[in-house]
Amino acid sequence: MRVSNAGKGMWKPEIPSRGVTSVILRYGFAVLSVSIALGTALLLSRYNFPDVADPLFLFAIATSVWYAGRGPAILALVLGSLANSYYFIEPIYSIAITHSDIPHFVVFILFALLITGFAAIRRRVEQGLREARDKLEIEAAERTQQASLLNLTHDAIFVRDMGFVITYWNLGSQELYGWTAEDAIGKQSHQLLQTVYPMPLDDIRAELLRTGRWEGEVNRIKADGTHVVVASRWSLRRDERQRPVAILETNNDITERKRTEEAIRKLNEDLEKRTAELASINKELEAFAYSISHDLRAPLRHMAGYAELLQKNASSILDEKSRRYMTMILESAKRMGDLIDDLLAFSRIGRAETQKTVVSLEQLVKEALSEVQQETDGRKIDWRIGALPNLYGDRSMLRLALVNLVANAVKFTRKRVQAEIEVGCTDGKEGETVVFIRDNGVGFDMKYVNKLFGVFQRLHRTEEFEGTGIGLATVQRIINRHGGRIWAEGLVDKGATFYFSVPKS
Amino acid sequence: MNELGRILIVEDDPKDVELTLTALEEYNLANEVVVTRDGEEALDYLYCRGNFKMRTSDNPAVLLLDLKLPKVDGLEVLQQIKSDEKMKMIPVVVLTSSREERDMVASYKLGVNAYVVKPVDFHEFVNAIKELGVFWAVINEPPPGSVRKNN
């Protein structure tokens, strides 16, 4: 395992100097050793112990090398040699040496060098050993720390050897699978967890050896017997000689995610099915509407046409009653024609695509007014049109909605000598425009407000106010298709107000 | 009214034919009317083939075309006429029961000259036919090669 940078920083390789640290102290130690050796040798020679100078100086050199290092040892060697030569080797009190003493002196120096060398090597070895020991200690501390870190993570992490025998098992693994480290270590992983792999194990192994990694979803069984789906990531560990030795595996529990995914997939499938069904129903509906449009109006037209011709040709021989019958037939035919047209328009709004643009409400109201002109001619209507904003929506649909609402207001104020119709704009919720159309017409009972927007729902008798009962349903459908709301307020004989809202964008 | 253009009606429904002719008669527009009962017959007439091999080769002043027709439908007839150099100048009025937008759009894309929805109300129907007849057979100057008959 690599020693991390932080670990390196914590570890300072110090030179072990056994108490003699500074240069002065170390060289002083050498001088002192040699001085003590010299003093002792001089003292002993005074008491007739000859030839102790050599071993004493060697001892001083050895002590210096041992405790103060190589530099002080060389100083001790030089000082010792000089002192030896000066005090103990003939001629005494001179650093010169006689010819016969040269071998003795050379051997002394060589021996001193040897001791120095040995001591230096020993020191180096000792230092190396100490460093190695410190390194090991740090590494051991780090490994312990990392192992406890692995235990902190929520992910399940475990290590297997190449025979799939578990050698490490973190706390996350225990939480996920319910087996403790004691249960797991030493067991074969796929026996313990009854793993079902998404592909043949040999293929996984091949990929792992080739790329050093493998990722996939595996099914396993926990200690309590429940199934679990995990996202599994494998990393191969190799030794220094690149032989695969272990597999580190990290797992995340994705059972819940898989269940949700499956649910979403199923929902999507259902939705697709429903959409297809709806599309086919819509198509049928379209064909139905098309057929009504073409085929249902033709016989109606014929009925009306022939009744009209009959009325013209036979009116002289028909009595009053029969003529009224003819009129009724014609009126009914016309009413059915209107119903068909309104119904088709209503169904078309449900099917047509909305094409939204910025639409001037003022312009739409103008167009609606000109559309109802036939009914307003000769009537006294006080139009109060406020400042009108732009709307965002499908122009032709919004136009149809406004024409319907304005036509309604005109229709239901018919009995007023002075009709008042107001079109304006009011504050709605944030992000929507609210438009209202208010009249002083016959109004309605709020009890029936829910019936107002239903298809074929009418609150007045036909002979009172004509109509197919589709107009407001059409308006509601248009507003709904714009994502807006429509509502109404009214009082019997006190007028009605219709509101609709359209989102601003 | 000195000249009256020939009107070619393409209509499969006999009742509609009768009502249309009645409406035209009412305004004395019916003397130059040819009725064909499906798209194939209409094309036979225009191209002088089949039953119409012997007719003179001039074009009608206007074609009143129903859309829902047996064999060859109205839109196909319209397409053939408007893609034929010799025929495409004939004014074509689609006269149909349908208010369906897609029929209208398809007709205009193919180059129809007018699109009229037959009203249910007979008065309105008669008025529409009258106005069509008067406009296309009397007022409008038809393209060269059309039949005009002194009234």
Side-chain angles (χ1 to χ4, degrees), chain B residues 35-74:
Chain B
V35 178
T36 50
R37 303 296 303 281
D38 59 53
E40 193 181 86
E41 204 184 358
L43 290 171
D44 281 352
Y45 178 85
L46 290 169
Y47 286 98
C48 306
R49 59 193 185 202
N51 290 338
F52 301 98
K53 223 180 248 170
M54 305 307 289
R55 80 170 187 94
T56 50
S57 65
D58 33 23
N59 287 331
V62 65
L63 186 69
L64 299 184
L65 180 65
D66 191 17
L67 286 185
K68 249 191 143 185
L69 293 168
K71 297 185 198 169
V72 181
D73 76 20

Side-chain angles (χ1 to χ4, degrees), chain A residues 311-362:
Chain A
Q311 197 182 34
K312 211 164 93 185
N313 290 347
S315 68
S316 52
I317 55 164
L318 288 178
D319 60 5
E320 188 62 28
K321 213 174 194 179
S322 306
R323 275 202 294 275
R324 203 182 72 81
Y325 292 162
M326 292 301 299
T327 313
M328 289 301 117
I329 292 172
L330 286 169
E331 267 182 23
S332 293
K334 177 155 172 39
R335 179 163 166 74
M336 186 161 170
D338 290 347
L339 274 169
I340 290 174
D341 282 351
D342 283 2
L343 262 182
L344 286 173
F346 178 65
S347 104
R348 201 174 300 131
I349 281 156
R351 290 178 282 130
E353 301 267 324
T354 53
Q355 289 166 343
K356 293 187 179 175
T357 52
V358 175
V359 184
S360 159
L361 182 58
E362 202 181 318

Side-chain angles (χ1 to χ4, degrees), chain A residues 286 289-290 293-295 297-298 300-302 304-306 308-309 312 333-334 337 341 348 351, chain B residues 13 15-16 18-19 22 26 68 96-100 102-103 117-123 125:
Chain A
E286 212 161 291
Y290 188 81
S293 187
H294 272 282
D295 302 337
R297 291 171 93 254
L300 207 58
R301 207 172 50 245
H302 301 153
Y306 284 110
E308 178 93 9
L309 289 176
K312 211 164 93 185
K334 177 155 172 39
D341 282 351
R348 201 174 300 131
R351 290 178 282 130
Chain B
D13 191 321
K15 297 192 188 86
D16 263 324
E18 189 183 346
L19 290 173
T22 309
E26 204 151 320
K68 249 191 143 185
T96 174
S97 296
S98 159
R99 209 181 282 279
E100 280 292 303
R102 61 175 152 141
D103 284 338
V117 179
K118 297 174 193 165
V120 168
D121 188 282
F122 188 66
H123 278 296
F125 181 72

Side-chain angles (χ1 to χ4, degrees), chain A residues 76-96:
Chain A
L77 172 65
V78 172
L79 290 176
S81 304
L82 288 173
N84 200 6
S85 157
Y86 190 81
Y87 290 105
F88 304 105
I89 296 171
E90 295 295 331
I92 291 174
Y93 304 124
S94 154
I95 53 165

Side-chain angles (χ1 to χ4, degrees), chain A residues 22 37 65 72 83 115 126 132 144 233 260 315 318 367 372 374 432 435 437 443 461 474 499 503:
Chain A
S22 80
V65 79
I115 288 171
E126 190 190 35
T144 316
R233 284 178 300 281
T260 319
S315 68
L318 288 178
E367 290 179 25
V372 298
Q374 243 186 332
E432 63 174 25
V435 180
I437 290 97
R461 266 175 257 143
T474 305
Y499 300 89

Side-chain angles (χ1 to χ4, degrees), chain B:
Chain B
M1 276 183 229
N2 301 333
E3 291 181 332
L4 200 57
R6 180 181 295 162
I7 300 173
L8 174 61
I9 295 176
V10 193
E11 173 65 68
D12 65 319
D13 191 321
K15 297 192 188 86
D16 263 324
V17 172
E18 189 183 346
L19 290 173
T20 309
L21 289 178
T22 309
L24 288 171
E25 261 164 27
E26 204 151 320
Y27 296 94
N28 296 323
L29 294 161
N31 33 2
E32 262 308 301
V33 179
V34 176
V35 178
T36 50
R37 303 296 303 281
D38 59 53
E40 193 181 86
E41 204 184 358
L43 290 171
D44 281 352
Y45 178 85
L46 290 169
Y47 286 98
C48 306
R49 59 193 185 202
N51 290 338
F52 301 98
K53 223 180 248 170
M54 305 307 289
R55 80 170 187 94
T56 50
S57 65
D58 33 23
N59 287 331
V62 65
L63 186 69
L64 299 184
L65 180 65
D66 191 17
L67 286 185
K68 249 191 143 185
L69 293 168
K71 297 185 198 169
V72 181
D73 76 20
L75 289 176
E76 286 174 75
V77 173
L78 180 61
Q79 188 185 14
Q80 288 225 19
I81 293 172
K82 291 300 176 185
S83 56
D84 185 319
E85 276 303 315
K86 272 186 276 176
M87 302 280 165
K88 72 178 187 190
M89 284 193 297
I90 304 173
V92 178
V93 177
V94 163
L95 189 60
T96 174
S97 296
S98 159
R99 209 181 282 279
E100 280 292 303
E101 202 177 280
R102 61 175 152 141
D103 284 338
M104 212 181 294
V105 170
S107 301
Y108 276 114
K109 273 194 180 151
L110 290 173
V112 79
N113 300 75
Y115 189 100
V116 177
V117 179
K118 297 174 193 165
V120 168
D121 188 282
F122 188 66
H123 278 296
E124 288 173 33
F125 181 72
V126 169
N127 269 333
I129 296 295
K130 180 192 103 182
E131 273 165 33
L132 280 174
V134 169
F135 180 78
W136 292 105
V138 180
I139 298 172
N140 185 48
E141 276 301 328
S146 317
V147 214
R148 284 234 158 182
K149 183 195 149 192
N150 286 335
N151 203 2

Side-chain angles (χ1 to χ4, degrees), chain A residues 25 31 48 75 82 86 119 160 193 209 211 217 268-269 275 277 282 284 297 299 317 408 419 445-446 499:
Chain A
L25 275 176
V31 174
N48 286 326
L75 179 66
L82 288 173
Y86 190 81
R160 289 168 298 175
L193 303 169
L209 289 174
T211 64
E217 288 171 6
N268 272 334
E269 222 170 58
T275 311
E277 270 171 28
N282 215 21
E284 265 170 39
R297 291 171 93 254
I317 55 164
N408 267 1
D445 191 335
M446 279 304 270
Y499 300 89

